[in-house]
Amino acid sequence: MEHQLKVFNSLTRKKEDFIPINPPFAGMYVCGPTVYGDPHLGHARPAITFDIVYRYLLYLGYKVRYVRNITDVGHLENDADQGEDKIAQKARLEKLEPMEVAQFYTNRYHKYMDMLNVLNPSIEPHASGHILEQIEMVQKILDKGMAYESEGSVYFDVEKYNKSNNYGILSGRNVEEMIANTRELDGQSDKHNSFDFAIWKKASPSHIMRWNSPWSEGFPGWHLECSVMSAKYLGETFDIHGGGMDLLFPHHESEIAQSVAANGKQPVKYWLHNNMITINGQKMGKSLGNFITLEEFINGSHESLEQAYSPMTIRFFILQAHYRGTVDFSNSALQASGKAYERLMKAFARLEGIAVGESSNFDVAELEKDCHAAMDDDFNTPMVIARLFDAVKFINSVAEKQISMSIEQKTALQKIRKNFIDEILGIKQESQNETAGAGLDEELMKLIIELRLKMRQEKNFAMSDFIRDELKNTGIELKDTKEGTDWSKTN
RNA sequence: GGUCUCUUGGCCGAGUGGCUAGGCGCCGGUCUGCAAAACCGCUUACUCCGGUUCGAAUCCGGAAGAGACCUCCA
């Protein structure tokens, strides 16, 4: 392969050559959504980030198995109401089966991922469908002496594990310091240490979702599902594990510990983490009043939004920043991205109709090389987009008949469009007249535009402007161009 | 407080020890009956203070500011 993909490995904190364990196969596991609420911006970022990783690995010719889980088990509210499962609580409030709640939000998640042009994973396992495997893993860890049972729950013994291994290998945390900094606030805990984590949790009476196990009726600990399902579908050691930076500790750290304790080997070769999003410089949170669902984003209904933003605008915006940096959602930034997105798509659409002629001084091969180099360098999508705009400028200059383009240049640009815009970045055209493409609307608009053209030719500008203004009031915008008059719906 | 990350032009946001990313906005222009749109051109920044270097926004040290994670749980 002519490419050498480099990825930033959180485990080593360095960019490393990506060399899969069993080429041409590549295995990737990404932490998916907890399906107890509507999908929001916080879901979009990791989904799009690892969609890019998936797409690029496919583009490079790897046979990729992409596993992204659905977490539908065991979520306690982080508010004061202890001991109730998030899904169970929702179910009780809405008088539904817990699985109905999980299914509803899973469907919602899929719908919005589809709108964002996020490809489906190869396997989408549910935590609830792998309870047996999780019980087996708990037993395995118990057998190795790295966990203890207490009051029907089973806890991972971090201190013991750390004697022979390194708990903190991923997050840089130091167990000795954690012990030193820990103060027992109350004696109620059935854990040996505050940083021990549950791998099996006994269900409280109000907890609806529960399964039988050798220890109690309960549910598996949070970290366990990812360890179990990744091992089941990708093997005990696999290539890439992705997720948001917020999951680095304790989730991923604990995943490593469990897997090493159970299987005696590091589960993951490359850990990739996307950075977080902020909204107007603040972390998104329900308590901060800036919690925006994808539905609200796309229809513009949230009060902090000045307008609706299309799914492709959101995707383009996210791709304009590197995945390891934070990205701040603000109206002005999104509006800028929306315009940039349209300019990019318009130019490449224009390319199709361009008449070829003499070659101009524009190196398409170098542009392509730069785009590849940017992707190879830890998925630098902002750089790819920047270079694509150089092509935009070239295409527009040719379209404006300032310079010309050869057939070779045109073909090469078409290839870049297909490879980079369509396949790798996954940016697609959102047609504005989708609902009006056929039928009565189109016919009527044609007639109105023709009438207005006649008036303009007769210099009856008062009437032609009246038509334009009135249409604008009803949400249809007319634009006079050299080729004639275009129309589009404004929202 | 601990661990880590970040600080780039009006805004967003890449990047490299010397070769002015890119987008949006502004301004100028082309086009147009006008407007809008579209297109072209323009806009030389790197928190502060030291140091290394022929040369640093880029490396090192310090300061200031911002953010994330650090009880339970997912």
Side-chain angles (χ1 to χ4, degrees):
Chain A
M1 208 167 290
E2 71 206 276
H3 294 273
Q4 183 50 64
L5 172 62
K6 284 183 186 289
V7 299
F8 185 88
N9 190 349
S10 306
L11 198 59
T12 57
R13 281 168 220 179
K14 282 196 292 246
K15 274 185 202 168
E16 297 177 1
D17 288 347
F18 176 71
I19 300 162
I21 298 160
N22 295 308
F25 300 99
M28 171 159 91
Y29 185 94
V30 174
C31 292
T34 302
V35 283
Y36 71 96
D38 224 29
H40 51 75
L41 273 182
H43 290 113
R45 171 93 123 143
I48 290 172
T49 297
F50 293 103
D51 187 48
I52 295 295
V53 174
Y54 180 42
R55 284 168 179 272
Y56 195 55
L57 292 175
L58 288 175
Y59 174 79
L60 293 179
Y62 291 112
K63 301 207 181 312
V64 188
R65 181 177 293 164
Y66 174 21
V67 180
R68 189 185 64 206
N69 65 300
I70 295 284
T71 296
D72 57 356
V73 164
H75 316 278
L76 293 174
E77 280 291 350
N78 43 13
D79 312 321
D81 49 4
Q82 290 230 334
E84 196 169 15
D85 191 289
K86 280 172 179 167
I87 291 172
Q89 187 189 45
K90 208 111 191 171
R92 195 171 50 75
L93 291 173
E94 299 179 15
K95 295 199 187 332
L96 297 167
E97 269 297 317
M99 273 302 159
E100 258 180 302
V101 177
Q103 186 66 55
F104 177 80
Y105 288 115
T106 302
N107 293 344
R108 296 279 293 168
Y109 180 77
H110 286 155
K111 177 184 167 187
Y112 283 97
M113 290 305 113
D114 210 43
M115 288 171 86
L116 291 169
N117 208 22
V118 168
L119 297 175
N120 292 320
S122 329
I123 302 175
E124 191 170 52
H126 288 61
S128 63
H130 298 74
I131 301 293
L132 277 178
E133 291 91 334
Q134 292 183 79
I135 289 173
E136 282 170 17
M137 187 156 180
V138 172
Q139 190 59 58
K140 214 166 159 182
I141 296 169
L142 276 170
D143 291 346
K144 304 262 173 153
M146 291 296 184
Y148 55 90
E149 191 187 342
S150 175
E151 312 276 334
S153 293
V154 181
Y155 295 97
F156 191 87
D157 192 334
V158 170
E159 196 173 3
K160 183 163 182 194
Y161 169 83
N162 194 55
K163 281 183 179 139
S164 49
N165 293 279
N166 179 7
Y167 187 81
I169 187 173
L170 181 66
S171 60
R173 277 178 174 67
N174 181 315
V175 171
E176 279 78 29
E177 281 175 14
M178 286 166 72
I179 294 168
N181 291 337
T182 297
R183 226 174 293 153
E184 289 297 324
L185 293 175
D186 52 49
Q188 294 178 338
S189 177
D190 42 3
K191 296 186 206 176
H192 294 356
N193 272 310
S194 62
F195 42 79
D196 288 348
F197 53 89
I199 52 181
W200 184 265
K201 189 91 177 165
K202 183 181 177 179
S204 65
S206 66
H207 204 111
I208 311 176
M209 293 182 104
R210 50 173 68 212
W211 290 266
N212 268 320
S213 80
W215 313 285
S216 64
E217 213 175 77
F219 53 95
W222 167 43
H223 315 305
L224 206 61
E225 62 178 89
C226 292
S227 293
V228 160
M229 297 190 292
S230 62
K232 173 160 181 167
Y233 298 113
L234 297 170
E236 289 179 358
T237 301
F238 57 96
D239 298 304
I240 293 175
H241 188 129
M245 246 173 211
D246 53 330
L247 298 176
L248 206 125
F249 186 88
H251 184 49
H252 291 158
E253 189 71 62
S254 301
E255 265 188 71
I256 292 176
Q258 290 164 354
S259 296
V260 170
N263 304 323
K265 48 184 117 160
Q266 280 292 323
V268 176
K269 193 169 178 190
Y270 306 99
W271 283 92
L272 271 53
H273 290 95
N274 64 276
N275 214 318
M276 309 313 291
I277 58 150
T278 54
I279 294 180
N280 297 318
Q282 271 192 313
K283 183 185 174 183
M284 185 172 84
K286 279 180 176 147
S287 54
L288 296 169
N290 63 356
F291 187 89
I292 310 180
T293 65
L294 288 170
E295 180 176 60
E296 289 168 331
F297 241 97
I298 290 164
N299 67 25
S301 62
H302 194 277
E303 59 177 8
S304 68
L305 300 175
E306 286 168 13
Q307 61 170 86
Y309 300 101
S310 75
M312 278 303 114
T313 296
I314 296 170
R315 184 176 178 104
F316 190 81
F317 178 65
I318 287 174
L319 294 179
Q320 269 190 306
H322 190 262
Y323 77 93
R324 280 191 291 112
T326 56
V327 66
D328 184 49
F329 279 73
S330 65
N331 280 291
S332 58
L334 280 161
Q335 283 157 10
S337 281
K339 284 182 185 164
Y341 158 73
E342 275 176 27
R343 198 157 97 88
L344 178 75
M345 296 314 281
K346 221 166 274 180
F348 274 92
R350 251 177 144 180
L351 175 66
E352 299 306 313
I354 276 178
V356 293
E358 293 286 301
S359 171
S360 288
N361 184 25
F362 184 84
D363 196 338
V364 185
E366 180 154 337
L367 181 112
E368 187 183 5
K369 207 179 104 211
D370 287 352
C371 287
H372 278 129
M375 285 306 293
D376 286 338
D377 185 16
D378 198 30
F379 314 102
N380 193 332
T381 53
M383 180 64 100
V384 173
I385 290 172
R387 294 297 278 128
L388 289 175
F389 273 99
D390 292 336
V392 165
K393 197 170 279 186
F394 176 54
I395 292 167
N396 283 333
S397 297
V398 175
E400 299 285 319
K401 310 247 191 300
Q402 290 167 354
I403 49 176
S404 65
M405 150 184 324
S406 68
I407 180 75
E408 290 80 14
Q409 287 177 316
K410 181 172 173 177
T411 310
L413 283 171
Q414 285 171 323
K415 188 177 146 209
I416 282 174
R417 185 213 160 125
K418 178 179 168 287
N419 286 347
F420 284 94
I421 298 179
D422 298 347
E423 286 186 18
I424 295 173
L425 297 181
I427 296 168
K428 63 180 181 185
Q429 182 66 53
E430 280 170 333
S431 71
Q432 293 158 318
N433 298 334
E434 214 156 4
T435 50
L440 194 60
D441 281 5
E442 195 73 35
E443 292 301 311
L444 277 174
M445 285 310 300
K446 216 170 135 185
L447 178 67
I448 292 168
I449 286 168
E450 228 164 273
L451 280 171
R452 179 166 167 274
L453 180 65
K454 280 221 160 66
M455 291 168 198
R456 291 176 66 205
Q457 282 164 348
E458 290 162 9
K459 308 253 183 225
N460 186 354
F461 296 123
M463 190 50 79
S464 71
D465 287 353
F466 175 77
I467 292 173
R468 185 173 64 197
D469 293 344
E470 288 302 307
L471 280 174
K472 189 160 192 177
N473 286 339
T474 64
I476 290 171
E477 195 169 25
L478 296 185
K479 289 166 193 166
D480 298 324
T481 69
K482 275 178 222 157
E483 289 78 28
T485 302
D486 288 336
W487 68 279
S488 61
K489 295 191 174 179
T490 51
N491 49 26

